[in-house]
Amino acid sequence: MFKELGKLNNLVKEKSFEIKFDKLKTGINFFENFIIYENNGNIRIYDRICDHAGGKIISKGNETICPIHNWKFIPETGCYENGVKKREVNYSINENTIKIKTLELEPKLTKLNQKNSGTKIRYFNHAFLKIFGENFSFATDPWAIGPTFNTGWWLKHATKNDWVDHLNSCSFVYVSHNHPDHLHPLTLSKINKDIPIVVPKFLTDSTGKYVEELGFNNIYRIKFNTEYNLENTRLVFSLLKSGDFREDSGIYFSNGEFTGLLSVDSNMLNFARFPNVDFYAGSFAGGASGYPLMFENFASNEQVKIAKNFKNILKNQMYKDLAKIKPKYFMPYAGFFEEKLKRDQKIKNNNQKNSIQDYATYCENNNIKLLDVLKNDVYEFIGEKLKTTSNVKKEKTQDLSEETYLNYFKNQYENIDLKYIKNYFIESAFKDNLQLYIFLTNDEFKLLGENYLVDFRKNTPEFKKISCTDEKKILRDNSIKKLILKTRKESFLNTVYNKLPWEDLSIGFQCQVLRNPNVYNKDFWHHFTNIYTTSKNVRSVTNCGACTNLTHFFDNELNEANKNI
């Protein structure tokens, strides 16, 4: 079905950089493109591209490391931990300025020429697009109905009701990663299980295993930075990895002369080595985290201030990406979610997000056509030029009410099995100088009298039910790291019983966090998000039975609703 064409080509470009010498601190200095090691006036400069797999070296904790295969680089010696030496970058110093000239790579996809090829792009919802060519069509990251992240996220707008037919008629469906707003079990339960599904060939196969678990029969695990041609078409595509440790991706494609890039919500896609394309779609809104609004170490006004700052950082980063990509057309997408439940009204009020129009001035000043999917959802191109825009005249999909979904989850996760919960933590094999306090709550985060302490300081974690909920008393001892999670009951039980990633609790605004010291407990969150999850997945997988139950529930409820119309 897919013909491998070889490695993705890269154009070589010369670039010049200047860094002020007095900006350096003693030791390791990270700049966007370079690592500079300074010691008593002597400096050594290295590029941030890993010599092994081409990843971008980052700082993680106290280590300098490549996120692809975890190669550790030691700037003090100029070698990787395994002894491989890294070449130093040549430079010159003129007065107080370090001057560097480098060669940089820009991906360049093969074009199977067809001067007047037609390409149509239709927006359905969130990150759900469909791209059409002469003999093909493919869809991306379909989320069309229902909630995600433990009912914390909802589609801001209803999906038009022809989405199932469009998915079933695709040449293939591309799933970028396994966050549930991109790999959505309820949505995927509605389509033909024989449809080819394209997933990235991640190290852990996190997305492929999840799709496989959902019952799909034709799964294509695609290598990164490799060109593929959909046979008997002019479609050529390559998957690009995010530039961090997450298993995330985007897709770069050409149809004749037309080129497109979907970065989804990847961080530093392709390690910030972007191609120049005609069409670019990227995540624009922000607000996709429980931090800082759910973190009680900050006062309410501080939470709002930090959240606003994050929103602006995202917008400015998008400006930088657009400056590198230089698209003719930009479609903001993958940000159309909302906190719709009544219990989350405070989050909704404070979790401000960027709008499409926040990018209008930048695009106008840089000769980029902004594509507003809330005004038109279909864009047709001939060659490289946009010829027509339109809006599909279809009814909206009939979905269940938000409260109906919430009641379902509450009914499913009503009973507390204390023995199961205890064994869950004991078998986690996690050890750290950390005490975890879990207080189960109602919708308003009021305590229900079910309070637990998990002590991870011994080889085998200790679990017990406790009565003390005095936060000041708990946090008083500074010799032990403390993490208090006030968590909605059904969301906690769903996470534990189905062995889901714990970061979904935070992303979905399902837990209030209090910690001492007020620092990110990276080892805990990593372990319970990426290691101690279901046996078939690294993150964001639900139990097959739970998926099936929800699908049946959804269908039965809709059938009953239709009878009453």
Side-chain angles (χ1 to χ4, degrees):
M1 180 175 180
F2 299 108
K3 180 180 179 182
E4 185 175 329
L5 302 180
K7 298 295 291 182
L8 178 63
N9 293 318
N10 288 283
L11 294 178
V12 180
K13 294 185 175 182
E14 183 177 284
K15 295 194 72 173
S16 298
F17 302 88
E18 293 186 353
I19 298 171
K20 294 298 182 183
F21 192 88
D22 57 16
K23 295 289 185 184
L24 299 183
K25 65 179 182 180
T26 300
I28 302 170
N29 298 263
F30 270 87
F31 294 89
E32 183 176 359
N33 298 287
F34 303 103
I35 300 168
I36 300 181
Y37 182 73
E38 195 278 337
N39 184 24
N40 294 324
N42 297 314
I43 67 172
R44 295 197 294 271
I45 303 178
Y46 309 92
D47 65 47
R48 290 181 61 179
I49 304 304
C50 180
D51 295 80
H52 180 221
K56 188 168 185 177
I57 296 172
I58 64 174
S59 176
K60 183 185 180 187
N62 295 320
E63 297 178 330
T64 303
I65 194 166
C66 172
I68 294 185
H69 294 120
N70 293 340
W71 273 38
K72 296 177 184 177
F73 176 58
I74 306 169
E76 295 93 327
T77 65
C79 294
Y80 292 91
E81 189 179 47
N82 58 14
V84 175
K85 188 171 181 60
K86 186 170 179 60
R87 184 175 63 86
E88 293 187 32
V89 173
N90 294 323
Y91 64 92
S92 61
I93 298 180
N94 184 5
E95 296 181 348
N96 187 44
T97 302
I98 302 169
K99 296 187 175 182
I100 306 169
K101 286 187 177 181
T102 67
L103 299 179
E104 291 203 350
L105 303 179
E106 177 189 307
K108 196 70 174 178
L109 200 66
T110 296
K111 295 180 180 180
L112 300 181
N113 285 327
Q114 182 191 23
K115 290 291 183 182
N116 295 317
S117 61
T119 306
K120 183 168 74 171
I121 298 175
R122 179 175 169 190
Y123 166 80
F124 281 88
N125 219 324
H126 194 56
F128 179 6
L129 301 179
K130 187 173 181 179
I131 289 90
F132 305 77
E134 184 180 356
N135 302 313
F136 73 87
S137 65
F138 70 93
T140 67
D141 290 345
W143 174 25
I145 52 175
T148 188
F149 290 117
N150 285 293
T151 73
W153 286 31
W154 304 81
L155 291 165
K156 190 170 185 177
H157 310 286
T159 312
K160 291 177 180 176
N161 64 8
D162 57 345
W163 64 270
V164 174
D165 291 339
H166 272 279
L167 282 176
N168 280 328
S169 65
C170 283
S171 305
F172 64 91
V173 174
Y174 160 64
V175 178
S176 64
H177 64 295
N178 66 2
H179 267 154
D181 58 318
H182 299 267
L183 202 173
H184 191 254
L186 181 58
T187 297
L188 292 175
S189 72
K190 305 300 176 184
I191 67 173
N192 184 346
K193 294 301 183 292
D194 291 326
I195 293 230
I197 306 290
V198 165
V199 300
K201 193 173 184 179
F202 290 126
L203 285 175
T204 66
D205 194 26
S206 57
T207 305
K209 287 180 179 178
Y210 192 177
V211 172
E212 193 173 68
E213 185 177 300
L214 294 178
F216 287 89
N217 303 310
N218 296 312
I219 304 169
Y220 292 83
R221 294 161 168 89
I222 298 297
K223 293 185 287 187
F224 286 113
N225 295 96
T226 303
E227 293 188 328
Y228 292 86
N229 167 232
L230 178 62
E231 292 183 341
N232 302 315
T233 76
R234 291 182 175 85
L235 175 67
V236 178
F237 69 93
S238 181
L239 300 189
L240 308 177
K241 192 196 175 296
S242 63
D244 55 18
F245 281 86
R246 302 200 66 87
E247 298 207 330
D248 207 341
S249 74
I251 186 169
Y252 174 28
F253 69 93
S254 67
N255 177 34
E257 291 297 308
F258 181 85
T259 55
L261 176 67
L262 313 179
S263 66
V264 199
D265 50 16
S266 290
N267 183 33
M268 291 192 306
L269 183 67
N270 200 36
F271 306 93
R273 298 194 294 263
F274 296 111
N276 295 144
V277 293
D278 302 311
F279 169 84
Y280 172 56
S283 181
F284 73 101
S289 172
Y291 183 87
L293 297 178
M294 304 305 293
F295 284 68
E296 295 187 296
N297 290 88
F298 305 103
S300 296
N301 62 328
E302 291 179 293
Q303 293 173 350
V304 173
K305 184 178 180 180
I306 295 170
K308 184 178 180 180
N309 188 43
F310 279 1
K311 183 183 77 146
N312 291 331
I313 288 172
L314 174 66
K315 182 170 61 177
N316 289 327
Q317 184 58 53
M318 179 58 77
Y319 292 164
K320 293 178 182 178
D321 292 349
L322 287 168
K324 290 182 178 181
I325 297 167
K326 298 181 176 65
K328 298 181 180 71
Y329 309 95
F330 171 48
M331 176 183 287
Y333 88 139
F336 296 99
F337 72 93
E338 192 171 61
E339 306 83 4
K340 286 189 174 181
L341 288 173
K342 293 178 181 178
R343 67 182 188 176
D344 290 330
Q345 187 63 45
K346 182 179 177 181
I347 294 294
K348 181 178 179 179
N349 292 342
N350 293 327
N351 193 26
Q352 299 178 22
K353 306 174 183 69
N354 293 313
S355 71
I356 292 175
Q357 290 308 309
D358 285 329
Y359 297 88
T361 301
Y362 178 89
C363 288
E364 184 177 353
N365 292 340
N366 290 275
N367 199 29
I368 299 171
K369 174 70 173 176
L370 182 66
L371 306 182
D372 189 339
V373 297
L374 301 182
K375 294 179 179 178
N376 292 290
D377 54 16
V378 177
Y379 298 86
E380 295 195 55
F381 300 83
I382 299 298
E384 304 167 18
K385 294 183 178 181
L386 177 64
K387 288 298 182 182
T388 64
T389 64
S390 59
N391 220 334
V392 173
K393 304 298 182 185
K394 292 287 184 181
E395 297 293 324
K396 300 294 180 66
T397 298
Q398 183 180 4
D399 202 350
L400 303 177
S401 71
E402 291 84 13
E403 295 301 326
T404 300
Y405 278 112
L406 178 59
N407 290 335
Y408 165 81
F409 278 104
K410 286 187 173 183
N411 290 333
Q412 285 288 304
Y413 302 106
E414 170 64 25
N415 297 322
I416 297 174
D417 186 337
L418 207 57
K419 182 179 179 181
Y420 183 96
I421 296 170
K422 180 178 180 178
N423 288 336
Y424 168 87
F425 285 108
I426 289 174
E427 293 172 4
S428 69
F430 180 65
K431 183 180 180 182
D432 192 13
N433 180 35
L434 174 68
Q435 288 182 333
L436 170 67
Y437 290 81
I438 301 166
F439 302 158
L440 299 192
T441 76
N442 64 7
D443 288 355
E444 280 69 46
F445 295 103
K446 302 299 182 185
L447 304 192
L448 298 175
E450 290 289 333
N451 312 304
Y452 316 124
L453 168 61
V454 189
D455 195 331
F456 292 111
R457 292 177 296 168
K458 296 182 179 180
N459 289 333
T460 300
E462 295 181 350
F463 173 92
K464 62 181 178 180
K465 189 172 180 179
I466 60 173
S467 57
C468 177
T469 59
D470 185 335
E471 294 170 356
K472 290 183 179 180
K473 183 177 180 180
I474 290 171
L475 298 179
R476 193 173 296 153
D477 183 358
N478 291 321
S479 66
I480 306 168
K481 291 188 294 184
K482 307 288 181 69
L483 178 61
I484 300 174
L485 300 180
K486 289 185 279 189
T487 309
R488 286 169 174 158
K489 174 184 171 183
E490 73 281 354
S491 298
F492 172 77
L493 296 179
N494 178 33
T495 300
V496 171
Y497 291 168
N498 291 310
K499 214 171 177 184
L500 303 183
W502 277 56
E503 75 168 7
D504 288 8
L505 289 171
S506 174
I507 294 174
F509 317 110
Q510 299 302 302
C511 63
Q512 292 181 340
V513 181
L514 187 63
R515 55 198 185 183
N516 185 26
N518 184 23
V519 294
Y520 180 58
N521 295 285
K522 62 182 180 63
D523 292 337
F524 167 81
W525 289 105
H526 176 75
H527 186 86
F528 284 91
T529 292
N530 299 297
I531 297 175
Y532 190 54
T533 57
T534 58
S535 60
K536 291 188 176 182
N537 265 292
V538 168
R539 78 149 321 283
S540 297
V541 62
T542 51
N543 175 278
C544 280
C547 294
T548 303
N549 290 342
L550 178 56
T551 301
H552 290 332
F553 168 78
F554 176 88
D555 290 337
N556 291 337
E557 290 291 318
L558 277 183
N559 289 337
E560 288 300 316
N562 286 327
K563 290 178 183 178
N564 297 324
I565 294 176

